[in-house]
Amino acid sequence: MDTEAVRSFVRAAELGQLRHAADELGVTQQAVSKRVAALERELGVRLFTRTARGVELTPDGRAFLPHARGVVTGLDRAVTAIRPGSRPLRVDVLGYRTGQAVVLHDYWRAHPGTALDVVTLKTGDPRVVVAALRAGEVDAAFRTVTDPAELPRDLRMVHLLDFPLELLVGPGHPLATERVLTPARLRGHRIRVPGIAPRSEWAEFYQQLATDLGLRIDGAGPNFGVEALLDALADSADAATLVGHRDRITWPVGHGLRRIPVVDPVIAYPLSLIFPRANPHPGLGAVIEHFRGVAAVEGEVWVPSWATVARRASAPVRSS
């Protein structure tokens, strides 16, 4: 069924004249008449009777009109849904408690009228994220493809900021009373990161961290979620973990956990954003500017070697 014929019928029915419908639709009266006639032939009924004042609906036309309106409205909504300037900016975050989600929430609170759709793809494989971006399932993803050769040319990856990490320990841990720590003080202590996903950016992050700074990263065992890890840390005298400075983490008062900054050097997790190179969502530039406005890490900083790749590709992105 020709949707423009349905649209012409609806406007003619609402305005009562083919000429007025033609003027509104930007076509000739003859074109509207032909569309309505073709629609009547397809349906096998008369939709209008012609009068001296214009057109009037037949009983069949009155029965068809509300359904035809639904077709036109649905089509208009469908078109609007795929227009970048009309639909929400759809962004993938690693998790809703992560620092990236916290900063994104800060942006939204500062711009409450922003149409924003925050999702998490629940995957550690960068190939899945890349496929979702290329398919248009998301407009941008706070992820990193650590090997530049694996990033398709139609996607762009930019560095936004570095998140300092802190050591999180229970009250019985030997480092629990420290105000700050250096990476050298962490050597020999077990840092738990359960369920590290193979091929993920954080798998490579922790591998380089362990190699460069001589830390003991324990990735054994399944990941039962942050609550289970916090329970384990509260009861342990030797286990610790690393969390982002801006990660939103809460625990029961009785746990007595401590977040301790790491300095000299600061251990930082580099945050990158991937998005289509051509025609990025109009709202993306303002989000990028907000992230880049977050205060930079001071002092000596350790980041993995692949962080420099995204930095080199991080020319400004224009806001719409």
Side-chain angles (χ1 to χ4, degrees):
M1 183 174 291
D2 184 353
T3 56
E4 288 308 308
V6 176
R7 187 185 300 277
S8 296
F9 160 73
V10 170
R11 295 310 293 139
E14 292 173 341
L15 297 173
Q17 290 196 12
L18 298 182
R19 178 171 58 84
H20 292 168
D23 291 343
E24 186 171 298
L25 296 172
V27 297
T28 65
Q29 180 176 336
Q30 184 180 21
V32 171
S33 182
K34 287 183 176 180
R35 289 176 182 176
V36 172
L39 183 61
E40 289 177 327
R41 286 194 299 271
E42 183 175 355
L43 295 173
V45 298
R46 294 293 301 275
L47 298 173
F48 290 121
T49 57
R50 274 62 175 177
T51 69
R53 294 188 300 174
V55 292
E56 292 182 357
L57 289 168
T58 65
D60 287 324
R62 288 194 294 271
F64 183 62
L65 180 59
H67 304 289
R69 281 197 182 112
V71 170
V72 172
T73 300
L75 180 62
D76 289 343
R77 287 176 178 171
V79 172
T80 299
I82 62 172
R83 285 179 179 159
S86 302
R87 59 176 172 77
L89 171 63
R90 189 172 175 84
V91 182
D92 162 55
V93 297
L94 284 175
Y96 297 119
R97 298 184 182 186
T98 61
Q100 55 194 242
V102 171
V103 176
L104 187 60
H105 186 214
D106 290 342
Y107 169 81
W108 182 81
R109 288 193 300 175
H111 306 81
T114 301
L116 191 62
D117 188 7
V118 183
V119 301
T120 178
L121 295 179
K122 298 292 186 183
T123 179
D125 191 336
R127 295 172 298 184
V128 176
V129 177
V130 163
L133 283 162
R134 302 184 82 185
E137 295 174 14
V138 292
D139 296 301
F142 285 107
R143 307 283 180 135
T144 299
V145 175
T146 60
D147 182 356
E150 294 185 358
L151 185 68
R153 291 183 177 274
D154 58 336
L155 297 181
R156 182 180 175 192
M157 182 173 69
V158 298
H159 173 261
L160 296 183
L161 56 88
D162 297 324
F163 280 119
L165 299 189
E166 300 172 332
L167 191 73
L168 182 64
V169 297
H173 195 279
L175 299 177
T177 58
E178 300 292 329
R179 297 184 62 184
V180 295
L181 291 165
T182 63
R185 292 288 311 278
L186 302 182
R187 291 173 188 153
H189 293 280
R190 182 166 60 107
I191 299 176
R192 290 198 60 195
V193 188
I196 296 178
R199 291 186 53 85
S200 65
E201 63 188 84
W202 51 93
E204 189 164 343
F205 174 88
Y206 284 112
Q207 181 180 355
Q208 287 196 29
L209 180 64
T211 301
D212 291 357
L213 300 183
L215 302 186
R216 179 187 169 195
I217 306 297
D218 177 10
N223 180 9
F224 286 103
V226 65
E227 288 81 6
L229 178 58
L230 297 177
D231 291 344
L233 294 179
D235 295 334
S236 176
D238 71 330
T241 195
L242 290 169
V243 296
H245 170 66
R246 291 178 179 268
D247 290 355
R248 185 184 289 115
I249 300 176
T250 59
W251 54 83
V253 175
H255 277 25
L257 302 183
R258 290 281 315 282
R259 299 177 69 145
I260 308 173
V262 180
V263 299
D264 300 327
V266 173
I267 298 174
Y269 196 99
L271 179 67
S272 298
L273 185 71
I274 308 176
F275 53 91
R277 189 175 293 275
N279 300 317
H281 191 286
L284 192 58
V287 171
I288 291 175
E289 290 177 7
H290 177 83
F291 271 79
R292 287 179 171 166
V294 174
V297 182
E298 297 183 356
E300 184 183 358
V301 180
W302 179 92
V303 292
S305 59
W306 43 263
T308 58
V309 176
R311 285 193 176 95
R312 288 197 296 268
S314 297
V317 177
R318 290 183 179 180
S319 298
S320 174

